[in-house]
Amino acid sequence: MKVLYQFGSSGKEPGQFRNTHHIAVDSKGNLYTAEVNPGSRVQRFRFTGLAQVAVGSGAPPPATAKPAPPAAPQTTAAPGAPAPSPLPPPGPYQGSGVQGSARVDPGRSLMHNPYTMVENWPTLNPGMKWGAAINFIPDNEGGTWMLFRSEPPIVKLSAEGKITASLGAGVITTAHGLCRDSDGNFWAGDNPFSDNPATRGKGFQVFKFSPDGKILLTLGQAGVARASDSTFVGPTSCVQLPGGDILIADGHWPRPASAQQAGDRLGR
């Protein structure tokens, strides 16, 4: 559990992050990050491969870099046990490769930056607006499905960042959690977690969509935030279990004053 590399800082510039809500990695190692308000955006980082920092190579740390932390105390192995492997000496400060946004502690960076940010990714269709980005489901073919608070709320992005498909238009009020089952169907949560007159009487439901966007199942009662066998407190995420059941995380803070203020749970 050693830190190999770290990058990023708080901010709104490319390569920085504001309220990161979810990360995902596809089969090629590319990294996706989703930000909720006030960030309300996603970023894609192309995986270029891991390479260990060569000790003593490169430029010295810049003046603004934090000094390396003190060495960790030596650990004595139990009698008969192999001696623990020492931590490799820290390498030099490494540039971020992400438009100067990374600030890497030179005492903890053991690898060169394995990511390069994909600029101007993605591009929304005309008339669409960015909203809080919730999560991804990479398709392992170079693109990813994304849930965000816009219309339509579920879109498929190609590797180039173009929208190639969409689901759920006009159905979800406050998108919050997306998963996909083994049949290719999508399960999406709708959780209005604030006192908003525009969402009164709506939300607190989970919708099951077919791959082409048809509603196959609706769980919960619109506008009712209560823990019961037929209603949700506030569905936020889901995952398919090995046996095929869908596990739903139910509960979020904050929540509307009209919602049940306890009862957070996992349901299947």
Side-chain angles (χ1 to χ4, degrees):
M1 299 302 294
K2 297 172 183 175
V3 175
L4 298 180
Y5 189 81
Q6 54 187 334
F7 70 94
S9 59
S10 178
K12 62 182 180 180
E13 298 302 317
Q16 295 183 312
F17 305 100
R18 303 180 76 192
N19 283 12
T20 306
H21 190 268
H22 184 258
I23 62 173
V25 179
D26 64 23
S27 61
K28 297 182 179 180
N30 300 310
L31 179 69
Y32 303 83
T33 63
E35 300 174 36
V36 293
N37 295 330
S40 295
R41 64 176 177 176
V42 301
Q43 298 185 84
R44 183 174 190 259
F45 298 86
R46 183 178 295 110
F47 181 66
T48 58
L50 292 173
Q52 189 168 0
V53 169
V55 178
S57 65
T64 56
K66 295 184 296 183
Q74 296 293 323
T75 301
T76 302
S85 300
L87 182 69
Y93 179 89
Q94 298 298 314
S96 71
V98 189
Q99 300 191 6
S101 66
R103 294 293 179 268
V104 181
D105 186 336
R108 300 183 69 186
S109 179
L110 305 180
M111 311 294 290
H112 289 282
N113 183 2
Y115 298 107
T116 299
M117 193 190 74
V118 180
E119 297 185 6
N120 302 315
W121 187 98
T123 302
L124 298 184
N125 291 341
M128 295 182 66
K129 296 181 180 180
W130 272 107
I134 308 304
N135 70 299
F136 307 97
I137 303 177
D139 61 9
N140 294 328
E141 297 175 353
T144 183
W145 288 90
M146 176 182 73
L147 177 71
F148 72 140
R149 293 179 189 144
S150 187
E151 281 293 324
I154 305 171
V155 297
K156 185 177 183 180
L157 301 170
S158 68
E160 295 74 31
K162 304 296 183 181
I163 295 177
T164 59
S166 62
L167 308 172
V171 176
I172 299 173
T173 62
T174 311
H176 211 144
L178 180 70
C179 63
R180 196 172 194 184
D181 62 29
S182 55
D183 294 324
N185 302 309
F186 293 92
W187 300 68
D190 187 356
N191 177 35
F193 53 85
S194 62
D195 290 298
N196 184 352
T199 59
R200 190 169 297 133
K202 303 177 182 178
F204 307 107
Q205 294 178 293
V206 173
F207 300 95
K208 178 182 179 182
F209 295 96
S210 67
D212 59 0
K214 296 179 181 178
I215 298 179
L216 302 178
L217 179 68
T218 300
L219 302 176
Q221 183 177 341
V224 178
R226 184 172 67 249
S228 74
D229 292 342
S230 59
T231 56
F232 294 103
V233 179
T236 57
S237 62
C238 58
V239 66
Q240 186 177 39
L241 300 176
D245 291 347
I246 301 296
L247 184 67
I248 298 174
D250 186 23
H252 184 276
W253 195 263
R255 63 190 66 179
S258 60
Q260 181 176 325
Q261 300 300 300
D264 300 51
R265 60 190 177 165
L266 294 174
R268 59 188 294 177

